[in-house]
């Protein structure tokens, strides 16, 4: 076997030509989305006013194994993909571990994360349907940036509702979106009925993701030629993000490497799901035996402390219900939690895999996450996003275990993005002012109380 | 010939193993640095208290053709290099030009620019000499970040004097440096004699690069085991940056591509010099016929409106004198100029090449630069640094000329870095509040008046 280089780049000709739909391999399929009005499974017709037609088809399809990637999307991918699969030689040395560590780095594009993989797909189908534009919400701004880039490339209008407090505190992200021609509105705003209502009720509020979602959905359904798009949680997003895992597998196969452990951070599940999809497929077909680990923040522990039940996907309770691990749509993670991954629920595929015992989960505290981030940055060069650093923490912990046991395990983790726009959080950590804020059982009980009382 | 991919990545085994010293090919060598006290050429002994020994040897050597790259530096390079050579298919389509455009992208690392190529080299030689640490100054923070990363990797102490106004206005850059363990001091500071003197004279001053240089040099010479390092202007920096051009040439040769025009932005000259070095070598040996274009800001036009003469390298007039194109060390570019490249002089090699007619120069206004930057970002995805965007502007202008004439020229330009930390400037541009601020002849006269009256 030839020596493993620091970075494995696939050739353009080796890039995946189809996305992999992991649901096709699952014996127990993820439970269907429910219509909040009727409590019956959502149909394509139910979804059509809000989402693009082809994306609805992808969302509801749990049998088709592969979806061909349209050529225009593949060409866009070629501008920033294949992303490198990196052998973390320097981290291994720093840890003194016999483990072999690999990470798939998705941060080498202007959006700074893997979000672009699905943004271009969703924008493409909107364009193909002849729409004028798309609407979405964004918190910190990663998804909004990715969508702005995709829309600029395709000449599609892009309306982003950005949580007002982030709009004001993160002016740089906002400026990036504007540079890509997006229309960025601080939410709540006077441009929607729901925004005006919230502003009347709570004048001066800094907004929330739930409120921004409601505004984006309203804007999509009240403007001719617009649809709403979303950067995580949905199964279509997992499908698009399978490009991460597919590239990974091709690169590892070239060098005859089989990982023992595959680790990803988990908020809504887009990155973790995309990374592990093809590997899970192998496992479900009985062709491999991997350990999959989801890493979530201790301050928002949906998989490790949540319930597996039907719940609202959004705080505003206008979106469909999903059966997932959830803390309740009313759960609010501590405000000083810097690491993203603040979603109260989890994608339904990943939830089902966890319920079936295929996907482990663990939670980590944010000071431990930033400690790992800094250690990683100093030896591997890359300054990781706080979200991604959850996976780094778990990878380091597993590698240190190997140092104790002497096992030469192969660890693969997803490095979803860079932390260039998260320096306020790094500053807090550098100044020793970061706290962990783990929710108490009472905090969780308040969240669970917001869940629907449905017996299905 | 096989089809050109969107991105050409060299294999690790194809990466350069030696830096190229373009001075070795020059018939008229760049004039030597002069000792400001004696006005005689600086000797290694003169430089030894300030610079590392091996770097002095590289600085003074104008005959050795290749310097082998030590293995430890090559390993560090493998973490973020080879950088991609990109075929700008989308930009070509957007411009409707028959020209073929390539760019070498140096921004895919945490420092966000090519500066890391020399930072690791300079830190390595300091470590090899058994030093405890290095000192430097930084304005916007790119060089300081790069040096912090290199020092963290090698376990070397790093003292950065950051211009106070940037320290306060760019807290994110500062935080990145701190995350890599650097000691960042706002300049002027009370930690040096020169800093205390300036603060006494101008209480509340926001500092300047000249002042920060003086503090960094003082800190290096008054702390046991420290030396001063610099990210541009010096010939050693051009040598290290030749990695850019060498990789470029190898990648183009693989596909049988010969550029007609090679374009780079020019401040102190580190990127432009590194990019063109191997191509200039070819040209000087009579093996090729390229057009080389240096692009500088109209607000700081050293090559296009400066004088070719001996001048001080720093505002404090403590550093050696260099024969270069210069606006005078007292020249101050307009404060609202956002695009970096604010140095009053130019590296001596590039100055000599320009004087010899081998290197063209043009200046561009900053609103035109940001217009090009935004156009580029929207079709090629990458959000470019304002500095790099000077080269984009010229490349677009040349490609548009080709559209008029129908010529299928091959254009290569250097894309030195990303603009993630420059969003305030993009915001100004997006808001239509950016101005051009071209210096008047009187402004230039004031700068020239600060030049030494030396007859050599």
């Amino acid at each position: 076997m030839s020596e493993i280089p620091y970075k494995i780049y696939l050739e353009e000709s080796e890039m995946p030509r189809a996305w992999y739909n992991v649901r096709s391999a699952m014996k127990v399929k993820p439970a269907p989305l429910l219509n909040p009005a009727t409590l019956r499974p959502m149909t394509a017709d139910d979804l059509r006013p809000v989402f693009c037609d082809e994306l609805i088809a992808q969302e509801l399809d749990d049998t088709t194994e592969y979806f061909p990637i349209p050529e225009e999307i593949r060409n866009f991918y070629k501008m920033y993909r294949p992303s490198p699969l990196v052998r973390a030689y320097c981290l291994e040395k720093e840890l003194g571990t016999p483990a072999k560590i690999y990470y798939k780095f998705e941060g080498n594009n202007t959006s700074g994360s893997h979000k672009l993989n699905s943004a271009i797909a969703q924008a493409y189908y909107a364009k193909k349907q002849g729409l004028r534009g798309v609407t979405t919400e964004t918190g910190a701004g990663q998804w909004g940036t990715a969508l702005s880039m995709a829309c600029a490339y395709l000449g599609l209008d892009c309306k982003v509702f950005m949580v007002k407090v982030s709009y004001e505190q993160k002016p740089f992200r906002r400026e990036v979106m504007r540079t890509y021609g997006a229309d960025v509105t601080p939410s709540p705003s006077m441009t929607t009925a729901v925004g005006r209502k919230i502003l009347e009720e709570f004048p001066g509020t800094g907004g929330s993701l739930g409120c921004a979602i409601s505004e984006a959905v309203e804007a999509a359904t009240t403007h001719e030629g617009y649809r709403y798009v979303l950067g995580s949680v949905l199964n279509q997003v997992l499908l698009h993000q399978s490009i991460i895992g597919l590239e990974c597998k091709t690169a590892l196969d070239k060098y005859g490497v089989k990982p023992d452990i595959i680790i990803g951070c988990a908020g809504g599940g887009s990155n973790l799901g995309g990374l592990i999809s093809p590997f899970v497929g192998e496992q479900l077909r009985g062709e491999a035996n991997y350990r999959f680990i989801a890493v979530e923040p201790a301050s928002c522990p949906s998989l490790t402390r949540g319930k597996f039940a039907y719940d609202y996907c959004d705080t505003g309770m206008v979106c469909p219900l999903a059966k997932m691990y959830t803390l309740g749509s009313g759960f609010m993670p501590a405000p000083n939690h810097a690491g993203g991954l603040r979603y109260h629920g989890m994608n339904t595929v990943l939830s089902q895999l966890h319920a079936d015992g295929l996907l482990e989960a663990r939670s980590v505290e944010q000071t431990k996450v930033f400690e790992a981030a800094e250690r990683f940055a100093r030896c591997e060069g890359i300054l990781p996003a706080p979200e991604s650093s959850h996976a780094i923490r778990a990878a380091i912990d597993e590698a240190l275990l190997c140092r104790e046991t002497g096992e030469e395990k192969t660890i693969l983790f997803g490095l979803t993005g860079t932390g260039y726009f998260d320096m306020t959080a790094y500053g807090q950590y550098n100044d020793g002012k970061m706290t962990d804020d783990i929710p108490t059982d009472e905090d969780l009980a308040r969240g669970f109380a917001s869940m629907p009382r449905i017996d299905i």
Side-chain angles (χ1 to χ4, degrees), chain A residues 229-342:
Chain A
V229 296
L230 182 64
S232 189
V233 184
L234 297 176
N235 291 330
Q236 61 189 263
V237 177
L238 243 69
L239 177 70
H240 307 147
Q241 296 295 357
S242 70
I243 185 97
I244 304 173
L246 290 165
E247 279 187 9
C248 248
K249 216 173 126 34
T250 306
L252 289 172
D253 285 351
K254 270 178 85 164
Y255 288 89
V257 175
K258 262 224 180 299
D260 297 296
I261 309 175
I262 305 177
I263 298 170
C265 63
S270 66
N271 144 69
L272 176 68
L275 173 67
I276 67 174
S277 275
F279 297 96
V280 168
E282 249 189 311
Q283 187 117 328
L284 289 170
R285 292 191 303 271
E287 296 162 10
N289 188 24
Y290 304 112
R291 270 181 72 197
F292 300 103
I293 305 177
V295 191
E296 57 184 17
S299 61
C300 194
S302 55
L303 285 171
T304 50
R305 294 175 72 192
K307 293 186 177 175
F308 187 44
Y310 265 104
D311 193 12
Y312 297 104
C313 287
D314 63 320
T315 340
M317 304 183 185
V318 297
C319 294
L321 296 154
K323 189 175 176 193
M324 58 185 177
Y325 281 88
T326 177
L327 299 164
S329 65
F331 175 79
M332 289 294 287
N336 66 345
H337 175 68
L341 311 177
R342 314 161 140 272

Side-chain angles (χ1 to χ4, degrees), chain A residues 16-250:
Chain A
R17 302 176 72 87
W19 294 301
Y20 174 66
N21 182 12
V22 68
R23 287 167 289 169
S24 66
M26 292 170 75
K27 280 183 205 95
V28 184
K29 306 285 183 191
L33 298 173
L34 297 188
N35 187 318
T38 63
L39 295 188
R40 287 167 169 273
M42 293 292 280
T43 64
D45 283 340
D46 290 339
L47 293 166
R48 218 174 301 281
V50 179
F51 293 112
C52 302
D53 297 349
E54 288 212 42
L55 292 168
I56 294 170
Q58 293 177 356
E59 189 64 32
L60 299 178
D61 187 333
D62 57 13
T63 53
T64 302
E65 199 173 1
Y66 285 98
F67 285 83
I69 307 174
E71 193 188 353
E72 194 156 359
I73 299 178
R74 280 192 285 122
N75 283 343
F76 186 86
Y77 280 166
K78 286 178 195 167
M79 290 207 297
Y80 71 100
R81 308 197 67 82
S83 69
L85 178 69
V86 185
R87 174 72 185 270
Y89 283 117
C90 299
L91 181 62
E92 291 169 18
K93 194 174 152 203
E94 155 78 12
L95 299 174
T97 178
K100 293 171 181 64
I101 308 176
Y102 293 83
Y103 56 92
K104 180 72 167 168
F105 179 44
E106 292 288 317
N108 269 352
N109 68 75
T110 297
S111 82
S113 82
H114 64 294
K115 295 281 180 185
L116 199 51
N117 300 331
S118 185
I120 184 62
Q122 297 192 46
Y124 169 82
Y125 290 115
K127 179 87 179 175
K128 194 178 163 206
Q129 196 173 323
L131 299 174
R132 285 184 53 198
V134 289
T135 72
T136 199
E137 79 290 338
T138 201
Q142 270 183 341
W143 167 247
T145 306
L147 190 67
S148 305
M149 290 173 67
C151 288
Y153 179 78
L154 294 170
L156 207 60
D157 192 41
C158 181
K159 291 185 193 302
V160 180
F161 290 87
M162 186 171 188
V163 177
K164 190 185 270 173
V165 60
S166 298
Y167 183 91
E168 282 160 3
Q169 287 176 0
K170 300 208 167 187
F172 291 173
R173 279 277 192 203
R174 180 185 79 205
E175 249 1 288
V176 177
M177 290 184 261
R178 287 182 70 207
T179 298
Y180 283 95
D183 173 23
V184 187
T185 306
S187 166
S189 75
M190 296 298 285
T191 69
T192 65
V194 61
R196 288 188 292 272
K197 183 160 170 277
I198 290 167
L199 282 173
E200 199 173 305
E201 224 168 309
F202 308 98
T205 173
S208 72
L209 211 50
C211 163
I213 293 178
S214 307
E215 289 204 83
V217 170
E218 182 184 322
T221 50
T222 55
H223 286 77
E224 184 69 28
Y226 283 78
R227 291 294 184 281
Y228 169 71
V229 296
L230 182 64
S232 189
V233 184
L234 297 176
N235 291 330
Q236 61 189 263
V237 177
L238 243 69
L239 177 70
H240 307 147
Q241 296 295 357
S242 70
I243 185 97
I244 304 173
L246 290 165
E247 279 187 9
C248 248
K249 216 173 126 34
T250 306

